[in-house]
Amino acid sequence: MPTLWLVVSVLVLAAIGYVLGRKRALQSANGNIRELHSLPIYYGLNVAFAALLPALGVLILWLLAQPMIIDSTVSGMVPHEAIPEETTLGLVMSDVRRVASGLDAAVEQGVMTLAESHSLRAEAADIRARLGEVGVALGAEVKAEVLQAAQSYRRMTATGTHAMTLVVALLAVTGLAIAYARTHKDFRARNVVERGILVLLILAASLAILTTIGIVFSMLFETMNFFGLHSWKDFFFGGIWAPNFRGDSELSILPLLWGTLFISFIALLVAVPVGLFAAIYLAEYANNATRSFAKPLLEILAGIPTIVYGLFALLTIGPMLVDFFGKGGLLGVEWMAGATSVLTAGMVMGIMLIPFVSSLSDDIINAVPQAMRDGSLGLGATKSETVRQVVMPAALPGIVGAVLLAASRAIGETMIVVMGAGAIAKFSLNPLESMTTITTRIVSQLTGDTDFASPETLVAFALGLTLFVLTLGLNILALYIVRKYREQYE
Amino acid sequence: MSDISQNGAPKRTGSLLSKDARTAKRNRAESRFKLYGILAIAVGLLMLVTLVYNIVSRGTGAFTQTFVTLEVTLSEDKLDKKGNRNLDEIKKVSTFGYAPLIKDAIGKEVEKLGIQTDLPAKKQAAILSKSAAAQLRDYVIANPDKIGDTVEFRFLTNSRVDGYMKDRVSRDSIANDKSISPAQLDFVDQLVAEGVIVKSFNLDFIFGADASDQRPEAAGIGVSMIGSLFMMLVVLVLALPIGVAASIYLEEFAPKNWITDVIEVNISNLAAVPSIVYGILGLAVFINYMHLPMSAPLVGGLVLTLMTLPTIIISTRASLKAVPPSIRDAALGVGASKMQSVFHHVLPLAAPGILTGTIIGLAQALGETAPLLLIGMVGFIASNAPDSVAGGLLSPNSAMPAQIYEWAKRADPAFYERAWGGIIILLIFLVTMNTVAVILRRRFERRW
Amino acid sequence: MNDMARVERRVGTKNAKITARDVQVHYGDTHAIKDVNVEIGDKTVTAFIGPSGCGKSTFLRCLNRMNDTIDACRVRGDILLDGEDIYDKRVDPVQLRAKVGMVFQKPNPFPKSIYDNVAYGPRIHGLARNKPELDEIVEKSLRRAAIWNEVKDRLDAPGTGLSGGQQQRLCIARAVATEPEVLLMDEPCSALDPIATAQVEELIDELRQRYSVVIVTHSMQQAARVSQKTAFFHLGNLVEFGETGQIFTNPQDPRTESYITGRIG
């Protein structure tokens, strides 16, 4: 890990800078702290920051940019003829990278000398076997073009890394030197250091934006690749989801979307009435003792990890439903074939969402001013009349917002549906049938052997992007409604 | 009352002491409504109780395991034919070479106890776990000088026998089971009567490694616990400072403009993005683009960091907001810079709240599964504990929830017990973390 | 003018609408009302005055059992409405509150249309058999609350869109619509500007034709302007109760005098 050592050296340099800066500042004031503009610690920090921040910033950017630049240069070098049919440039490139890293590993483990590794020729040496020795498995013999590309990949990476080390080290030393030279008793060290800290704080805050951009772009690029390989019309408007790895897959989101919405609908059917009535009872009827007992207990349901609910669906609720509706069940009907079904996943997800709906609604109901209730009670209305005709209409926008948030949770929920819903994509109105959802398909397309050149894998990104847009839309709408609602009573 | 009607005012004549029909009807509606509320809460609590009962009743079995105690003669002619105790040669004897020793040992035990059975020796030995031979081999390789001696061993029984001891397996349920027969169960009964087979606490479940899908009896959650630990370490080291820094900027320094607005809306939306989307991000950015190793706790930690950040930022901002402005004014009033007032006064006062929020965020991350599926933390057997910090971060491992999922997927129902047991351990962690958070909040909560 | 008022006062005291005997109210450990005895006459405006925290609002809320909604509040003693104990176990507070309406300190129209605000009470109590009857009740109530002319063209507009004074008169119309016998008003003008206050005060004087009105106010001038009888509360005690003119011109108790002359407050 040369990068790690680079970081450590820069850190050491910064520490030295701290000591030097502090000392020089004190010297310039003849040891009298009162003469200094800022506390001595700031002079030290100033020098340390000057050594550290530009160097590390450039390091991070370099690390992010280098693979991208090298990749695009090298892939430009791979001739068109070298790409066999039924594969793509992406696949060839991953071969190139694997050969390159294999050669590096071989040198590192002493199987090859450095010079030998550079002078290898595809025709002469059995590269596949030799790389196999160091634990790098290749799917096929290495072609000359691939080896050539791999060699230049290695060369460029090596050059890049050297250049990076040089630049970063130079930056650190220069920063330290400049800051040290400027250190003087009249130098406004505190202001400079504080400005530096502020920049760091801003960077931390922009990470949120960066994450969003990362999410969008990581999915957008692969989605575009997907639409290059597969018709977007089929994805959005086709009616069949039938991936197969021979190539002629039908990949339409509609059956998955249907399963997702059906399960979410059942979940809301469970969670909304139960959660809402629980919230009403807690907010309007319960005395303090009941409230402080029931509310935390209900909220435990929200803190239980989804994997637990998944297991609960798969091993408890599913078999229980089969006991009722399955072959030889209590009802004597044979409506259910297996434990996984829309109802299984929907019910369990509903249980999970009960506290979500109830605590959001509880907050919202409590935000309705007491004067409103007094007005109604003062006219001789009963509590339930007050709740139904005054409190609920007043709280309605907030509750709609809460339900939308719950819906967005249900749509994006993964583990419960992975374990409880099943894997069959279809349009059906029977909740006792097994169906599948967007999230389950993302998981199944992206686990196991993934080949980032096939539409069957890439479709997961298109699904992910759709899911993201869908939940984001719901969230923004819900947050907007809730915010408007809160403003009304503030 | 006559004077009232004279004036044309209300003619409500009924006494207060008797209810009119309408009021009675309204009161019934009232009681019904109240009942719905009570029912709703009861349903919620019932679900909680069902869930907890399910977990406890089905998971506690994983903490005990059935063992057989046997005296095995480590005969020299099988293990070290040349008799020169050369470790390399001893290692050449595969687990197959150890199987006869176990067979002999069990035969001797049967003879010693005078158990009457028609079961052939091979079937007798089959009640042991497939891990028994490996256990023996590991022992011999570690103690070559014991060859030739007779040593007492405690072996695991196979999962069917274990299930039989835990009432999961019955003679009816194994009608089509090739791996065990009713005759073997009779044999087990005889050994139980003699005290050779006992059920006892199974520490290996908590600290051991996962095992292949043939040997549910040997599977443990320990290694994936280490994986989770390393992920939490990454989350703590990254999410806490970044989250606090971001919150300080947004709460204390950010000017009110559209950029800040965008960041704020962004953060509250990121908190609601489905976790699987973070998994896709991790797969695309950390693994596909940056070429970090698949299944590494470092990658898992990075993904969970991004996922936890919004939670930490939101709770940190709330605790910063709770510090009254008078504190800031006081610091500024004695000539501190804005930065000093924040770092010297506001931040220490907000620390308990920040800590509470961080612990809750960590607990959330600890239980998260979906993103881990996409970065490859399932689907293999987490069998080796990492030997160093770098190894812990970079070598493939699993995490507790991913391990539970893995067990739930396997065909053998014996693994289900492991999954429920794993959930008990996971929940113990979560409950502990949340309790600490609650205590912190109670202990340091300050009313201004 | 002055003489006429006095005559009316005497007529008003003849029959007591509400009689309170030895009323004690506890809020948790605080003894909020101590031994209050008072008779509130029919077709009279009775004002409760006193420094803030003296218990006048608490006592008012006892008269239609609004205090029931507060868990920690306990009421002892007898409060009789037309001779019936309103704290009797058989009494349904819902029925009671239909007879004893209430108007609150801050105007609190429901987030509904003006029409629905007024129609709310008649609807829940089943006072109208059909839509025309309900329309009639709404119009009559809005007229009685002297707001009909201002809102008759926009009955479908939300009640929250009215000005403060209009909102308070709407709340009075809402209370009147259930045809109560007693109207309790808890500082009805404290959130209003002087012009709106004058309108509401004028309205209170008209309401006296039909209802027994009890008004809590912290303004002595207001009590003097609108009421015939005044009760002065201090630290949970009913210090003095009598003709408004008497209380203000010739208080018997030194505490009343101090309050009226502005020495305590």
Side-chain angles (χ1 to χ4, degrees):
Chain A
M1 277 300 254
T3 320
L4 184 71
W5 286 114
L6 188 60
V7 172
V8 170
S9 350
V10 171
L11 282 174
V12 170
L13 208 60
I16 295 171
Y18 176 81
V19 177
L20 288 179
R22 208 185 126 98
K23 212 163 152 192
R24 185 178 162 99
L26 278 173
Q27 265 168 6
S28 73
N30 298 324
N32 184 0
I33 293 182
R34 286 166 157 272
E35 296 265 304
L36 291 173
H37 168 268
S38 317
L39 290 171
I41 180 177
Y42 286 106
Y43 292 95
L45 281 178
N46 177 43
V47 178
F49 278 5
L52 200 61
L53 298 183
L56 285 190
V58 167
L59 178 66
I60 290 170
L61 287 181
W62 197 299
L63 283 177
L64 285 175
Q66 180 172 315
M68 193 155 64
I69 294 169
I70 293 182
D71 251 32
S72 65
T73 325
V74 173
S75 57
M77 289 163 62
V78 177
H80 228 7
E81 308 83 65
I83 303 170
E85 289 201 19
E86 89 262 348
T87 59
T88 61
L89 183 62
L91 270 184
V92 175
M93 275 311 293
S94 76
D95 263 358
V96 168
R97 278 193 293 269
R98 210 173 299 167
V99 171
S101 69
L103 288 175
D104 283 340
V107 173
E108 202 177 303
Q109 295 180 17
V111 179
M112 282 183 215
T113 61
L114 190 63
E116 199 185 342
S117 77
H118 280 297
S119 58
L120 272 181
R121 311 194 76 79
E123 309 84 55
D126 186 5
I127 296 170
R128 188 181 176 192
R130 295 195 67 177
L131 292 186
E133 282 172 42
V134 295
V136 177
L138 292 174
E141 283 304 326
V142 178
K143 288 209 195 78
E145 292 88 350
V146 171
L147 182 64
Q148 208 184 353
Q151 293 291 18
S152 50
Y153 186 89
R154 289 182 63 206
R155 256 197 316 280
M156 288 170 76
T157 310
T159 327
T161 310
H162 283 143
M164 178 181 78
T165 313
L166 203 68
V167 169
V168 169
L170 212 63
L171 265 174
V173 173
T174 322
L176 188 142
I178 292 176
Y180 182 74
R182 283 172 67 188
T183 303
H184 183 260
K185 70 178 166 56
D186 294 329
F187 179 62
R188 294 167 168 248
R190 201 197 69 233
N191 306 41
V192 175
V193 167
E194 287 186 349
R195 220 171 303 143
I197 294 179
L198 191 63
V199 170
L200 286 182
L201 296 183
I202 293 176
L203 282 179
S206 8
L207 193 70
I209 301 273
L210 222 64
T211 308
T212 313
I213 294 175
I215 288 175
V216 171
F217 276 84
S218 66
M219 291 192 295
L220 202 64
F221 281 133
E222 303 292 0
T223 303
M224 270 150 48
N225 282 345
F226 169 67
F227 286 136
L229 295 167
H230 193 91
S231 132
W232 63 272
K233 277 187 199 142
D234 181 55
F235 179 73
F236 285 115
F237 304 111
I240 297 171
W241 171 269
N244 68 59
F245 284 89
R246 285 190 309 275
D248 52 347
S249 304
E250 293 194 69
L251 302 167
S252 165
I253 194 176
L254 290 182
L256 310 184
L257 192 62
W258 169 249
T260 306
L261 294 180
F262 196 1
I263 290 174
S264 305
F265 175 72
I266 288 184
L268 292 180
L269 220 54
V270 174
V272 171
V274 176
L276 198 55
F277 270 106
I280 289 173
Y281 186 82
L282 286 177
E284 303 286 335
Y285 289 96
N287 55 23
N288 266 337
T290 318
R291 208 177 143 82
S292 59
F293 160 81
K295 207 170 141 74
L297 275 184
L298 274 184
E299 272 162 14
I300 290 180
L301 282 176
I304 292 175
T306 52
I307 176 81
V308 181
Y309 285 107
L311 211 61
F312 189 57
L314 182 69
L315 299 180
T316 307
I317 297 289
M320 190 192 83
L321 289 175
V322 173
D323 282 347
F324 279 100
F325 300 108
K327 194 175 176 184
L330 291 174
L331 300 182
V333 289
E334 208 189 312
W335 290 344
M336 222 172 145
T340 57
S341 73
V342 169
L343 191 62
T344 311
M347 268 176 67
V348 174
M349 206 189 279
I351 296 172
M352 179 189 82
L353 290 176
I354 288 173
F356 191 75
V357 174
S358 81
S359 62
L360 276 176
S361 316
D362 192 27
D363 290 351
I364 282 157
I365 291 171
N366 279 326
V368 175
Q370 185 61 30
M372 218 66 106
R373 293 182 184 86
D374 283 349
S376 172
L377 294 173
L379 290 171
T382 62
K383 265 192 171 173
S384 64
E385 285 161 349
T386 306
V387 170
R388 273 184 287 138
Q389 299 185 30
V390 177
V391 177
M392 278 300 125
L396 194 64
I399 286 171
V400 168
V403 171
L404 286 182
L405 281 180
S408 135
R409 277 282 288 265
I411 289 173
E413 172 49 44
T414 309
M415 293 320 292
I416 295 175
V417 286
V418 164
M419 298 171 85
I424 304 159
K426 65 180 160 202
F427 296 99
S428 162
L429 281 171
N430 182 355
L432 295 173
E433 277 186 68
S434 188
M435 274 185 227
T436 196
T437 69
I438 297 180
T439 49
T440 20
R441 287 311 92 191
I442 293 176
V443 170
S444 76
Q445 300 311 107
L446 286 183
T447 46
D449 286 328
T450 49
D451 164 10
F452 279 82
S454 77
E456 288 77 17
T457 298
L458 290 175
V459 69
F461 290 92
L463 291 175
L465 193 60
T466 318
L467 181 72
F468 179 71
V469 170
L470 208 62
T471 50
L472 190 71
L474 276 176
N475 287 333
I476 290 179
L477 185 65
L479 290 177
Y480 174 78
I481 292 175
V482 171
R483 190 182 280 191
K484 273 269 156 291
Y485 167 76
R486 289 201 182 287
E487 279 166 6
Q488 183 190 334
Y489 289 119
E490 261 164 19
Chain B
M1 296 227 174
S2 53
D3 50 352
I4 301 176
S5 36
Q6 267 170 18
N7 288 328
K11 46 196 182 307
R12 193 188 299 276
T13 47
S15 156
L16 277 177
L17 298 177
S18 61
K19 269 181 204 123
D20 55 53
R22 188 179 169 84
T23 311
K25 198 177 136 204
R26 286 169 60 200
N27 281 338
R28 280 197 299 277
E30 169 77 15
S31 320
R32 268 201 308 278
F33 192 78
K34 197 171 165 183
L35 186 70
Y36 297 150
I38 294 174
L39 278 180
I41 291 193
V43 166
L45 295 184
L46 183 75
M47 287 305 156
L48 182 66
V49 171
T50 317
L51 199 57
V52 171
Y53 172 76
N54 236 290
I55 294 168
V56 172
S57 67
R58 296 170 93 163
T60 39
F63 293 89
T64 59
Q65 204 67 35
T66 311
F67 293 97
V68 185
T69 314
L70 290 177
E71 289 190 345
V72 182
T73 308
L74 304 170
S75 59
E76 191 167 9
D77 55 327
K78 290 242 172 60
L79 303 180
D80 189 16
K81 281 179 188 129
K82 288 184 191 145
N84 56 9
R85 299 290 184 272
N86 183 332
L87 206 58
D88 285 334
E89 281 177 37
I90 295 173
K91 277 187 182 165
K92 286 208 174 116
V93 181
S94 72
T95 50
F96 285 110
Y98 286 85
L101 298 183
I102 296 173
K103 220 171 358 181
D104 291 348
I106 203 161
K108 243 187 273 170
E109 191 73 26
V110 167
E111 210 174 301
K112 194 176 86 187
L113 297 169
I115 293 172
Q116 297 296 315
T117 178
D118 301 332
L119 211 59
K122 203 178 164 196
K123 291 260 176 165
Q124 287 178 5
I127 65 164
L128 292 186
S129 163
K130 289 195 174 73
S131 65
Q135 186 187 343
L136 213 52
R137 183 170 179 266
D138 289 346
Y139 178 82
V140 169
I141 288 168
N143 310 289
D145 51 312
K146 292 277 186 186
I147 292 179
D149 294 359
T150 300
V151 185
E152 195 177 87
F153 282 95
R154 219 164 74 115
F155 295 116
L156 289 164
T157 61
N158 81 30
S159 70
R160 299 302 198 287
V161 174
D162 183 52
Y164 178 62
M165 296 290 285
K166 291 172 184 165
D167 298 326
R168 187 178 64 234
V169 172
S170 68
R171 283 183 174 73
D172 299 331
S173 74
I174 56 163
N176 296 318
D177 197 331
K178 267 181 255 160
S179 52
I180 196 141
S181 67
Q184 279 172 316
L185 291 184
D186 296 340
F187 180 58
V188 168
D189 282 342
Q190 286 170 320
L191 289 181
V192 171
E194 297 291 344
V196 177
I197 291 185
V198 287
K199 214 163 68 169
S200 72
F201 189 72
N202 179 21
L203 212 61
D204 278 348
F205 173 65
I206 304 173
F207 296 111
D210 188 17
S212 71
D213 57 358
Q214 296 297 312
R215 298 181 287 124
E217 66 276 4
I221 201 166
V223 173
S224 52
M225 209 188 285
I226 296 174
S228 277
L229 188 80
F230 274 105
M231 290 197 318
M232 290 307 106
L233 216 62
V234 174
V235 175
L236 188 67
V237 165
L238 291 178
L240 182 60
I242 296 178
V244 170
S247 318
I248 290 180
Y249 177 71
L250 291 175
E251 202 55 46
E252 306 284 340
F253 293 100
K256 282 271 158 252
N257 57 24
W258 66 271
I259 301 180
T260 325
D261 272 358
V262 167
I263 295 182
E264 284 195 26
V265 172
N266 214 306
I267 287 173
S268 48
N269 278 314
L270 278 180
V273 166
S275 57
I276 185 120
V277 170
Y278 285 99
I280 300 179
L281 173 75
L283 179 66
V285 173
F286 298 130
I287 290 178
N288 247 357
Y289 179 68
M290 295 190 187
H291 303 299
L292 292 175
M294 196 87 172
S295 318
L298 175 68
V299 179
L302 288 173
V303 170
L304 294 180
T305 298
L306 293 181
M307 209 190 80
T308 321
L309 257 181
T311 318
I312 293 186
I313 293 180
I314 289 170
S315 70
T316 303
R317 292 191 62 183
S319 15
L320 288 176
K321 209 176 274 176
V323 176
S326 60
I327 302 278
R328 297 175 181 81
D329 294 345
L332 295 178
V334 296
S337 69
K338 175 102 184 166
M339 197 66 83
Q340 285 169 325
S341 86
V342 170
F343 279 92
H344 295 171
H345 299 282
V346 179
L347 201 56
L349 288 173
I354 295 173
L355 219 54
T356 308
T358 308
I359 294 175
I360 288 171
L362 277 182
Q364 209 181 7
L366 184 63
E368 190 56 63
T369 322
L372 303 184
L373 302 186
L374 299 193
I375 55 165
M377 297 197 86
V378 278
F380 64 92
I381 293 153
S383 53
N384 299 313
D387 46 4
S388 66
V389 175
L393 288 173
L394 292 170
S395 58
N397 202 337
S398 188
M400 278 196 279
Q403 180 74 69
I404 293 167
Y405 174 65
E406 180 62 28
W407 282 334
K409 271 198 323 186
R410 291 188 188 164
D412 190 336
F415 277 112
Y416 296 163
E417 181 190 86
R418 304 269 139 181
W420 289 111
I423 281 178
I424 293 182
I425 295 182
L426 181 63
L427 287 183
I428 288 175
F429 274 101
L430 295 182
V431 167
T432 314
M433 290 168 89
N434 281 300
T435 314
V436 169
V438 168
I439 291 174
L440 266 181
R441 187 182 301 162
R442 292 253 168 90
R443 178 110 168 63
F444 292 105
E445 193 174 50
R446 224 180 262 255
R447 300 213 176 274
W448 302 100
Chain C
M1 177 82 192
N2 215 359
D3 285 344
M4 266 176 71
R6 241 178 227 151
V7 173
E8 274 176 14
R9 266 179 227 166
R10 239 171 277 126
V11 172
T13 48
K14 263 184 192 164
N15 42 3
K17 186 74 185 168
I18 297 178
T19 314
R21 272 190 238 121
D22 301 333
V23 176
Q24 319 275 347
V25 179
H26 292 264
Y27 270 118
D29 294 333
T30 344
H31 197 174
I33 298 282
K34 299 160 194 159
D35 278 325
V36 169
N37 288 286
V38 72
E39 285 199 348
I40 290 159
D42 200 8
K43 299 200 172 43
T44 317
V45 178
T46 308
F48 291 175
I49 60 168
S52 49
C54 66
K56 53 192 192 298
S57 283
T58 305
F59 184 66
L60 186 79
R61 291 168 66 95
C62 289
L63 300 182
N64 70 343
R65 292 182 60 175
M66 278 301 278
N67 282 333
D68 288 17
T69 57
I70 299 160
D71 283 332
C73 182
R74 278 165 298 133
V75 180
R76 281 188 290 126
D78 298 323
I79 299 175
L80 307 178
L81 174 68
D82 292 330
E84 291 172 333
D85 182 5
I86 63 167
Y87 279 89
D88 190 291
K89 269 206 289 292
R90 286 167 295 172
V91 172
D92 193 322
V94 164
Q95 243 171 309
L96 169 71
R97 289 176 199 146
K99 280 192 175 188
V100 185
M102 189 155 188
V103 176
F104 297 84
Q105 189 168 358
K106 237 180 103 189
N108 56 352
F110 302 137
K112 297 164 177 278
S113 70
I114 292 170
Y115 182 94
D116 286 335
N117 259 288
V118 181
Y120 179 75
R123 274 191 185 131
I124 57 175
H125 293 295
L127 297 184
R129 273 183 300 266
N130 48 36
K131 180 84 168 86
E133 259 187 48
L134 191 60
D135 289 348
E136 199 189 308
I137 294 176
V138 169
E139 183 179 340
K140 196 172 70 190
S141 310
L142 285 169
R143 278 188 195 283
R144 279 190 195 161
I147 192 181
W148 172 251
N149 288 329
E150 291 156 67
V151 300
K152 65 181 175 200
D153 301 323
R154 45 175 175 149
L155 291 176
D156 290 332
T160 43
L162 298 172
S163 73
Q166 288 173 322
Q167 284 191 9
Q168 193 61 301
R169 277 179 287 151
L170 176 64
C171 291
I172 293 173
R174 192 175 67 187
V176 166
T178 52
E179 313 231 315
E181 295 164 25
V182 181
L183 208 51
L184 308 178
M185 296 186 164
D186 190 357
E187 303 195 19
C189 301
S190 64
L192 304 182
D193 59 63
I195 294 170
T197 302
Q199 287 169 324
V200 173
E201 284 179 3
E202 203 173 314
L203 173 59
I204 292 171
D205 204 47
E206 276 168 37
L207 291 173
R208 180 161 60 91
Q209 309 294 325
R210 289 194 175 75
Y211 313 99
S212 162
V213 178
V214 185
I215 176 169
V216 164
T217 173
H218 57 253
S219 148
M220 285 172 287
Q221 291 84 345
Q222 186 170 57
R225 283 194 298 266
V226 300
S227 72
Q228 288 80 53
K229 305 209 95 176
T230 297
F232 171 65
F233 284 79
H234 186 242
L235 299 174
N237 294 304
L238 176 61
V239 175
E240 197 167 346
F241 177 58
E243 300 282 333
T244 301
Q246 296 258 304
I247 294 263
F248 281 97
T249 53
N250 185 19
Q252 303 293 309
D253 195 287
R255 284 170 293 178
T256 318
E257 196 185 349
S258 314
Y259 181 68
I260 286 165
T261 51
R263 262 176 278 159
I264 53 173

